[in-house]
Each structure stands twice: as structure tokens, then as C-alpha cells.
């Protein structure tokens, strides 16, 4: 009996001892968990130190840093359609520089033999083969210029050039009917003197007549789902002006910074995708998509230079397409100080004048610079080939650089640069 009482008392003491020890065990457990490297600790610590800045996935998507190379690099898209193959080749050679990157595209309306001829041309050209910086978009897109497919094609080229083109600083979209008015040495020399965050994009929020003829109507572009080019369909219903973002309009031709291009493709706050879906049913969306995106983003709206770097001759009021340029427009092209002009017809005589007097192109179509080396000049069969000199970093700017400097100085002046950023100033 005494033994039984002793065992009962011992058990009661153990029970009370455990109950007294339990709080200490809980405190010890909490203490060790706060000093361990567990996910719980990291999360708890993060919220304690940064209660206003939760770590969302969007915060991990960072824009690439601006290049510190002394000479900038340009990524070009040059696009065309049926019958533009030869014009595209000529424009490509006039724009070529080994520092740059190029994507060339003949749309699905061009016959297969014309697209294959373009691929063969790029593969056979010794300079392109040596540098590997010219890419033919092998899977052609159908592009209807009144619908959103031109925007889609531009985004496609941007993605290719980001994936395969290495480091470059600006993206420029051109067509086979565009032509340069300055050499690439001129252009790269001048661009090396300005901030690489700048985006040259003509824009305004004063959409005027476009509100009723483009923003309120709803269209369906067969180019989004068909392999045959046809005009857009009009939906009877009309829609209101967006309230989630403000509409902007402007030129379809632009020079965009790499940070903004990355933002358009990544779209980590979803605005680029939202705006893209809106412009899928918008007439002439290339004249509004990038403009609306850039002017609705705090990070980029103050980087805009309100100019498309082109000389273009329009009707007044402007029609869907500009005038074809001729020799009569030559002086006005030069006086504009613009680096590019459009729209040129195929084998237009004024382009020969530009080659001879502004670019100094040789018989091959290339614009000579310190990078270009002629080979086989003494061959008996008259064949010539070209290679790239080791000193491709050296530029040889000419009179075109002085003209372009005057334009850039004017565009970046205090009187023009800031007052024309994402404003309602009519174009």
C-alpha cells in the first residue's frame, strides 16, 4: 500500500513537472525557429522589416542595364511583302554595319520563291556570313497594314533580336520602301552622344478625327487567323474610349530603347498585354499601340522624343499612305536632317542620287567605312567579295553626321523636348 502511494505521488510530480516545463519548451522552439534558415523565418523577417513592399514575382523581373559600350548598336527590322525582295536587299545593304543586328521579313503574301531567294541572298553574302548578324524570319507572318498584324510582326522581330542578337541599344523598324539619308557611321556617331534611354516616337493624345474613325469602331482582321490577305471586317457596334489608359496616336515608324522593348515583351505589370488586346480590334493599330503603352507608364513617359526620324511627304489632311518620293523631293529630304525617308518606289531614280551624294555607296550596294575590306579586286573574272576589317569599332562620320546633329540638338532642346512628351500637341 505504501509502495502504491509512493508510485502515485511520483507520477503526479512528473505530470506537474512536465506542465511546468512545457512553456519553456515552447519558448525554446520559437527561439530556435527564429534563428534557423527556414522559409518561415525568411518570410516572417521580410514582413517585419518591409511591411509595405511584399516580394511579388513582378519585382524579380528586371530590365537589362544600359550598355556602356562607347559606340551604340542598333537592332533593325526591315519588312516587305510581295515584290519587295529586291528593294529589301538594297535597303539592307545601305543600312548594313557589322556592329548592328538585323531581322528581315517578307510576309506570307510574298511567294515562296521570293522568300527563298532572300534567304539565299543572306547566306551567300560573305560579310553577312562572316558576322552572322543578319537573320531572315523563316516562318513568315501575314501582315495586313490596316490591322494589328503589323504590331504582332514587330513584336515577333523584337523577340528574335532580343533572343539571338546579343547586346544592342535601340530597335528601329523600317520597310523595304524606306531608305537611309545618312550612313551608319554617321548615325552611330551621333547616337553615341545621347542617353540610350531615349525613345524616338512621334505621338500625341489629340486623336481628333481618329476617335470616331478608328477608336470607336470595332474591326476584325482576318490576318490573325487566315493565310490569305484580305481587308478587315467592320463590326456594327461601336465602343467607348478606354478609361483604364489614355489613347495616343502617331507615326508607325520609331526608334525604341532596349529597356522599353524588354518591357513591351515581358509586360510584368500586364499593361502591354492589355493594350495589345485592345488594339487587336483597332484600325491602323501600328499608329497607336507603342505610343499608348509608353505614355501610360511612369517609368518611360519622360523618355520620349516626339519625332519618328523620318522625312515623309503627306497629303493634307493625311491619307492612309504618303506620297512616293522623287528627285523633286531630294532637297527637302536633305534639309529635313532626318536619317531616314519614305516612301520610295522600286528602282526610283532619287535613290541612286542618295547613294552617290549622301551615302557614297559602291557598286556592291554597301556603304564604305573603315570596317569594309574589298577582296579579289584583281581577279580575272571580275568577281568581288568583301570581308570585315578588324577595326570595326572605328567610325568614319561624314557630312550626314553634322546634319543629324542639328536635328537631334533641336529635338533635345529645352523648348521642344519636355513640352512635347506625351502631350496633346497636334501632329
Amino acid at each position: 500500500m505504501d509502495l502504491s502511494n509512493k508510485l502515485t505521488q511520483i507520477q503526479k510530480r512528473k505530470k506537474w513537472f512536465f506542465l511546468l516545463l512545457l512553456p519553456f519548451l515552447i519558448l525554446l522552439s520559437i527561439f530556435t525557429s527564429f534563428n534557423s534558415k527556414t522559409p518561415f523565418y525568411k518570410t516572417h523577417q521580410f514582413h517585419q522589416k518591409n511591411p509595405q513592399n511584399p516580394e511579388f514575382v513582378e519585382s524579380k523581373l528586371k530590365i537589362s542595364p544600359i550598355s556602356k559600350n562607347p559606340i551604340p548598336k542598333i537592332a533593325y527590322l526591315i519588312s516587305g511583302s510581295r515584290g519587295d525582295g529586291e528593294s529589301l536587299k538594297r535597303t539592307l545593304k545601305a543600312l548594313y554595319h557589322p556592329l548592328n543586328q538585323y531581322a528581315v521579313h517578307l510576309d506570307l503574301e510574298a511567294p515562296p520563291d521570293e522568300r527563298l531567294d532572300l534567304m539565299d541572298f543572306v547566306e551567300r553574302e560573305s560579310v553577312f556570313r562572316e558576322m552572322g548578324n543578319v537573320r531572315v524570319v523563316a516562318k513568315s507572318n501575314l501582315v495586313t497594314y490596316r490591322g494589328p498584324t503589323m504590331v504582332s510582326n514587330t513584336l515577333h522581330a523584337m523577340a528574335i533580336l532580343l533572343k539571338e542578337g546579343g547586346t544592342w541599344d535601340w530597335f528601329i523598324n523600317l520597310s523595304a520602301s524606306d531608305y537611309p539619308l545618312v550612313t551608319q557611321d554617321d548615325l552611330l556617331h551621333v547616337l553615341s552622344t545621347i542617353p540610350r534611354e531615349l525613345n524616338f516616337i512621334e505621338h500625341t493624345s489629340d486623336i481628333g478625327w481618329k476617335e470616331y474613325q478608328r477608336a470607336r469602331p470595332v474591326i476584325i482582321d482576318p490576318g490573325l487567323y487566315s493565310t490569305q490577305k484580305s481587308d478587315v471586317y467592320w463590326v456594327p457596334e461601336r465602343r467607348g474610349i478606354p478609361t483604364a489608359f489614355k489613347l495616343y496616336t502617331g507615326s508607325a515608324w520609331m526608334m525604341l530603347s532596349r529597356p522599353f522593348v524588354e518591357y513591351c515583351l515581358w509586360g510584368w505589370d500586364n499593361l502591354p498585354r492589355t493594350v495589345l488586346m485592345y488594339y487587336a480590334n483597332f484600325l491602323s493599330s501600328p499608329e497607336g499601340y507603342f505610343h499608348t503603352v509608353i505614355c501610360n507608364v511612369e517609368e518611360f513617359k519622360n523618355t520620349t522624343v516626339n519625332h519618328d526620324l523620318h522625312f515623309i511627304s503627306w497629303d493634307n489632311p493625311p491619307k492612309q499612305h504618303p506620297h512616293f518620293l522623287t528627285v523633286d523631293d531630294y532637297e527637302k529630304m536633305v534639309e529635313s536632317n532626318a536619317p531616314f525617308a519614305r516612301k520610295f518606289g522600286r528602282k526610283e531614280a532619287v535613290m541612286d542620287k542618295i547613294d552617290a551624294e549622301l551615302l557614297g555607296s559602291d557598286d556592291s550596294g554597301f556603304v564604305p567605312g573603315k570596317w569594309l575590306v574589298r577582296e579579289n579586286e584583281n581577279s580575272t573574272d571580275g568577281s568581288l567579295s568583301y570581308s570585315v576589317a578588324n577595326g570595326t569599332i572605328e567610325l568614319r562620320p561624314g557630312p550626314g553626321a553634322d546634319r543629324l546633329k542639328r536635328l537631334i540638338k533641336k529635338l533635345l532642346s529645352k523648348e521642344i523636348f519636355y513640352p512635347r512628351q506625351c502631350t496633346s500637341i497636334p501632329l
Side-chain angles (χ1 to χ4, degrees):
M1 201 61 187
D2 291 340
L3 181 60
S4 177
N5 288 334
K6 286 182 179 181
L7 289 174
T8 301
Q9 290 176 359
I10 291 172
Q11 288 176 352
K12 287 181 178 180
R13 288 174 184 172
K14 285 183 178 181
K15 178 180 178 181
W16 284 108
F17 178 80
F18 178 76
L19 291 174
L20 290 171
L21 187 62
L22 184 59
F24 294 100
L25 292 175
I26 293 173
L27 288 172
L28 180 63
S29 174
I30 294 174
F31 178 80
T32 55
S33 68
F34 266 70
N35 285 276
S36 66
K37 295 182 178 180
T38 62
F40 170 78
Y41 165 66
K42 287 185 177 179
T43 304
H44 183 88
Q45 183 190 49
F46 182 86
H47 288 295
Q48 287 292 322
K49 290 186 176 181
N50 301 287
Q52 303 301 320
N53 299 297
E55 188 176 6
F56 297 121
V57 67
E58 290 89 340
S59 64
K60 298 180 181 180
L61 296 172
K62 301 296 183 182
I63 293 174
S64 297
I66 297 295
S67 165
K68 298 187 183 301
N69 294 326
I71 300 176
K73 300 177 183 179
I74 299 171
Y76 282 99
L77 164 63
I78 312 171
S79 55
S81 189
R82 176 187 292 271
D84 287 336
E86 294 304 316
S87 297
L88 196 154
K89 294 176 189 177
R90 181 173 183 171
T91 300
L92 171 61
K93 280 196 167 184
L95 289 167
Y96 186 78
H97 194 283
L99 289 177
N100 294 335
Q101 298 290 327
Y102 301 85
V104 292
H105 175 261
L106 280 175
D107 75 13
L108 205 57
E109 190 180 41
D113 59 342
E114 190 174 16
R115 300 202 304 272
L116 289 171
D117 178 68
L118 177 62
M119 296 182 71
D120 185 56
F121 163 76
V122 171
E123 290 174 358
R124 284 186 291 104
E125 181 53 62
S126 57
V127 171
F128 301 160
R129 190 169 59 249
E130 180 181 352
M131 298 307 298
N133 60 343
V134 179
R135 296 163 186 81
V136 179
V137 180
K139 188 175 181 181
S140 294
N141 303 305
L142 188 65
V143 178
T144 52
Y145 293 92
R146 281 160 59 84
T149 48
M150 183 176 168
V151 173
S152 175
N153 186 60
T154 302
L155 292 169
H156 182 198
M158 288 175 171
I160 291 172
L161 290 163
L162 278 178
K163 179 183 177 184
E164 301 179 3
T167 57
W168 45 263
D169 301 281
W170 277 288
F171 170 87
I172 296 177
N173 67 322
L174 300 173
S175 75
S177 58
D178 288 73
Y179 210 64
L181 302 177
V182 300
T183 70
Q184 290 302 289
D185 278 9
D186 293 335
L187 182 59
L188 296 176
H189 171 72
V190 175
L191 293 182
S192 68
T193 65
I194 66 174
R196 297 182 191 181
E197 297 89 348
L198 294 178
N199 291 275
F200 290 77
I201 178 169
E202 186 184 68
H203 61 281
T204 179
S205 63
D206 181 18
I207 61 177
W209 58 270
K210 293 183 179 180
E211 176 180 340
Y212 294 96
Q213 294 190 25
R214 294 186 180 177
R216 292 189 180 275
V218 179
I219 61 116
I220 298 175
D221 184 1
L224 292 173
Y225 59 83
S226 175
T227 58
Q228 300 297 320
K229 187 177 289 190
S230 62
D231 201 3
V232 298
Y233 298 125
W234 296 83
V235 177
E237 290 77 11
R238 298 170 74 85
R239 59 185 173 184
I241 298 300
T243 57
F245 47 84
K246 189 173 184 178
L247 292 182
Y248 287 79
T249 186
S251 172
W253 313 102
M254 59 203 77
M255 184 172 81
L256 303 177
S257 68
R258 185 182 180 111
F260 180 62
V261 169
E262 290 188 4
Y263 173 76
C264 289
L265 293 176
W266 281 105
W268 46 85
D269 69 354
N270 210 35
L271 178 69
R273 277 183 289 272
T274 301
V275 176
L276 182 62
M277 295 180 73
Y278 171 79
Y279 274 96
N281 302 114
F282 194 102
L283 193 67
S284 298
S285 56
E287 298 175 6
Y289 171 69
F290 293 102
H291 319 67
T292 296
V293 172
I294 200 167
C295 284
N296 281 275
V297 181
E298 197 70 28
E299 186 175 358
F300 294 107
K301 68 179 184 181
N302 292 327
T303 66
T304 58
V305 182
N306 208 326
H307 199 279
D308 63 3
L309 301 180
H310 273 70
F311 173 83
I312 306 176
S313 179
W314 293 98
D315 287 309
N316 190 16
K319 297 179 181 179
Q320 179 72 23
H321 299 289
H323 293 298
F324 281 100
L325 300 174
T326 66
V327 174
D328 294 337
D329 299 295
Y330 179 78
E331 292 301 327
K332 288 182 286 185
M333 281 188 264
V334 176
E335 291 170 1
S336 74
N337 297 325
F340 307 102
R342 73 183 317 271
K343 184 174 186 181
F344 293 95
R346 295 164 188 163
K347 299 182 180 179
E348 179 59 53
V350 70
M351 297 173 73
D352 296 331
K353 189 175 178 67
I354 292 170
D355 283 342
E357 299 183 14
L358 300 183
L359 303 181
S361 304
D362 63 17
D363 295 339
S364 71
F366 285 115
V367 177
K370 288 190 176 182
W371 63 269
L372 185 63
V373 176
R374 270 189 168 193
E375 298 176 341
N376 304 329
E377 290 189 272
N378 299 320
S379 63
T380 55
D381 62 359
S383 62
L384 279 174
S385 62
Y386 298 81
S387 64
V388 177
N390 292 330
T392 57
I393 196 71
E394 296 183 55
L395 301 178
R396 190 168 67 189
D402 295 329
R403 298 197 310 273
L404 183 56
K405 280 180 183 176
R406 289 196 290 271
L407 175 64
I408 298 298
K409 183 178 180 180
K410 176 183 176 182
L411 294 175
L412 299 185
S413 66
K414 183 171 60 176
E415 297 78 19
I416 293 179
F417 179 48
Y418 291 110
R420 294 180 65 87
Q421 287 180 327
C422 297
T423 66
S424 59
I425 297 175
L427 297 175

